[in-house]
Structures are given as structure tokens and as C-alpha cells.
Amino acid sequence: MEGLPKEMLATLVGCNYAGTPHELRGCINDVLAMRDTLVARFGFAPGDIAVLTDDDRSAAVLPTGANIKRALADMVARAAPGDVLFFHYSGHGTLVPHRHGHDARQLDEAIVPCDFNLTTDVDFRQLVDLVPQGATFTMVSDSCHSGGLIDQEKEQIGPAAVTDLADGATATTRAVRGRFLPYATVVGHLSGASGVDASHHVADHLLALFGADASAKFRHHDTPTPSPDGGILLSGCQTDETSADVAADDEAADGGKACGAVQAVLAAHPAPLSNREVVSRARELLREQGFEQHPCLYCSDANVDAPFLCQQEEPAAIPAL
């Protein structure tokens, strides 16, 4: 049917880091809930949804840095104009200081795959730059410091943009564990395997361990020139904030399944919502629940009020004669 997306493809990643000092509890439940939502609400075919989780260490495809980038690259390579691409990540995030010749006080965003081979804002920028014109690449990252995970994408809702009036309201603060790994913890973890002294920048450890599979940020890359594109980032929090990890036993009201704010908003509003509405409602929901984090929206002006994942209005029922 004219006007509908030709193909809908998704890659979902959940890392709980079970059996490590960095273990989380709700991330795999997040992606399983999102998979069900994509099929039931948005019409994704189950066979077009790749799911990478670390709950089974014997799995053929674990959510390592290389495997995540390979899955995303394969998804983008399949895309054509008009297609809808979706990436959901639930796990640890971190901030990385700039290397030689840059301001070490400036920090860049990264996600932490199960093998700690960081996937950075530059990697996501390079992916978005490969998306065919007319297709969209929507990314939901429920991880700490996830604001800005697509390098150079325009901030539409966030600390530097106009946000919701409700953000100034007060709410009871809820004490929870964050999905955050400090930079020093990441370096300490990697140094044990890399043999590189922990005083070195994380790039030295990642290049020693993963070589060409390390993030493009730590190899030579050109700084992109910002321009309107199909990238859409809905981050779980601002760059300077942490994202809460909530386990299923803490969410009895949600039927025993941990569920991110985006899924909760979608469940409460079955009609199509714009990207702006999803983020604004997620902010309001988290504020009401006492979480000190503020989801953000990064995309071109044209995609701010576009329907989330291009959901179409249901055609009106024709009354029986």
C-alpha cells in the first residue's frame, strides 16, 4: 500500500552481565518486551528482528562490540528508501574522555557490550550516514549517559533545548541502581586482559584487544558535517545522568516484567504517537515515579513530530449496512 514502509527491520540488544561485579537485572526483560511490542503493535515480522542477549554464554551470537556492529551493519545494508530501522539497547553506558590533542575534560558517550568493546557515538554516526535517504534509523538506548549517542545529531528535547514544563515539578526521589560503569572501571576491567598499564587511555586497551573491531572513534575517522538525516535517538537520560536498572521483582504492577519508560508509554497509548510525544510522556512518567532522569530526543526537525516507528492510524471501520 502506498505510503507504508516497504520493510521494517530491528536489532535488539540486552546485556545483564550476569556473574560479574557489574551485573544488571532488567535489561534482557526490556528487549524481550520490546520485541513483543514491535510484532504486536508495529507489525514487524519476527524473522526481521535480531535479538542479542548475554543470558546464554554458549549462544552463537553474544552481544559483543563486534557482533552488535555487525548486526547493525547488516540491517542497514538491507535497507532501502522508505524502510524503518530500529535499534534498542539496554545495558551499561559510560563516558570516554578525549585522547591526545583534545580537551580531556570533554566526554563522549558509549555503550558497553558484554565484552567491554565500547560502541561509541561515532560508530552510530557512521551507521546513520549509511542509511538510505527516505529511510529512518530509530534508536532507543536505555543506558546511562545515553544523550548524544548519535554524534552530531540535533538535540530537540534535552538540557540545551526547550523541554517540558512538567520537568520543574517536584516528585519523591526513588533510590535505584544506575546502568553506569565509571570510566576507571572500564579501563580497569580491560587492562587485566590487554596487558596495557591502567594509566593508558581506554583506546590503547581496546586497540590492543580488538584491533580493527574497536570503535572507529579510536581509529582514524573524519568528523562529520551535521546535516538532516534519518537518525532518531530516544535516550533514556541526558548525557550527564544515569539510567535506573529496575528488575522484574520491583515491577509487580507491570505483570512481573521489568519494562522501560518507552514501552510503558506505548502500552498506555495505543494510538500513534510522535517521537516528541513518546519522549515527553516518558519524562512525565519517570518524574511521577520518582526517577531522577530525563529522556531526550535527537533528530532532524522533520522527524520531531513524525510518528514513532512510522506507525499508521488504523483505518476507520466501515459501518455495516
Side-chain angles (χ1 to χ4, degrees):
M1 184 182 298
E2 187 176 354
L4 293 179
K6 291 163 49 177
E7 195 163 23
M8 308 185 80
L9 309 172
T11 300
L12 313 179
V13 174
C15 296
N16 275 350
Y17 317 91
T20 76
H22 320 297
E23 185 170 357
L24 297 172
R25 301 177 297 169
C27 299
I28 292 175
N29 281 338
D30 282 353
V31 299
L32 297 180
M34 181 57 79
R35 179 186 61 188
D36 295 343
T37 299
L38 293 179
V39 173
R41 175 168 180 158
F42 296 98
F44 281 70
D48 288 331
I49 302 174
V51 179
L52 284 69
T53 62
D54 63 352
D55 52 340
D56 182 3
R57 302 300 297 185
S58 64
V61 183
L62 287 167
T64 63
N67 286 341
I68 292 171
K69 285 184 284 190
R70 187 173 299 114
L72 290 173
D74 290 346
M75 182 173 72
V76 170
R78 288 180 57 184
D83 288 352
V84 175
L85 311 182
F86 180 65
F87 173 52
H88 179 105
Y89 172 76
S90 192
H92 277 305
T94 193
L95 291 172
V96 179
H98 280 193
R99 284 187 86 188
H100 315 295
H102 295 282
D103 185 354
R105 296 169 298 177
Q106 185 171 342
L107 304 173
D108 291 323
E109 305 81 10
I111 63 172
V112 185
C114 68
D115 63 347
F116 279 57
N117 183 10
L118 303 182
T119 306
T120 71
D121 56 342
V122 169
D123 298 309
F124 292 117
R125 164 46 57 195
Q126 292 186 342
L127 277 167
V128 167
D129 286 346
L130 295 174
V131 173
Q133 187 173 4
T136 57
F137 179 100
T138 300
M139 174 176 172
V140 172
S141 186
D142 194 357
S143 57
C144 292
H145 308 297
S146 48
L149 262 174
I150 301 178
D151 189 36
Q152 301 292 322
E153 200 64 62
K154 183 176 180 179
E155 180 182 307
Q156 301 286 356
I157 298 178
V162 177
T163 57
D164 307 280
L165 296 177
D167 289 346
T170 59
T172 302
T173 301
R174 184 172 177 178
V176 292
R177 181 180 181 183
R179 295 177 175 179
F180 169 60
L181 284 180
Y183 175 73
T185 301
V186 174
V187 171
H189 176 91
L190 292 169
S191 67
S194 68
V196 178
D197 189 88
S199 63
H200 285 238
H201 191 275
V202 69
D204 298 324
H205 302 276
L206 293 170
L207 290 170
L209 287 168
F210 303 108
D213 283 331
S215 170
K217 178 181 286 292
F218 309 126
R219 296 176 281 114
H220 175 73
H221 73 275
D222 296 324
T223 302
T225 300
S227 61
D229 55 50
I232 304 167
L233 169 64
L234 291 79
S235 66
C237 61
Q238 297 176 176
T239 300
D240 61 348
E241 292 179 333
T242 59
S243 186
D245 180 48
V246 181
D249 54 5
D250 294 329
E251 290 291 332
D254 289 334
K257 179 176 286 188
C259 187
V262 169
Q263 292 100 307
V265 167
L266 294 174
H269 302 277
L273 295 171
S274 69
N275 293 309
R276 184 202 304 271
E277 289 172 323
V278 172
V279 172
S280 296
R281 292 178 187 273
R283 282 182 161 231
E284 182 179 354
L285 175 66
L286 290 172
R287 181 187 59 81
E288 291 173 350
Q289 294 179 344
F291 291 104
E292 289 190 316
Q293 63 187 81
H294 301 81
C296 300
L297 174 63
Y298 298 79
C299 63
S300 67
D301 293 342
N303 284 324
V304 176
D305 293 309
F308 178 70
L309 293 184
C310 297
Q311 183 181 3
Q312 304 293 312
E313 292 279 3
E314 291 291 335
I318 301 175
L321 296 176

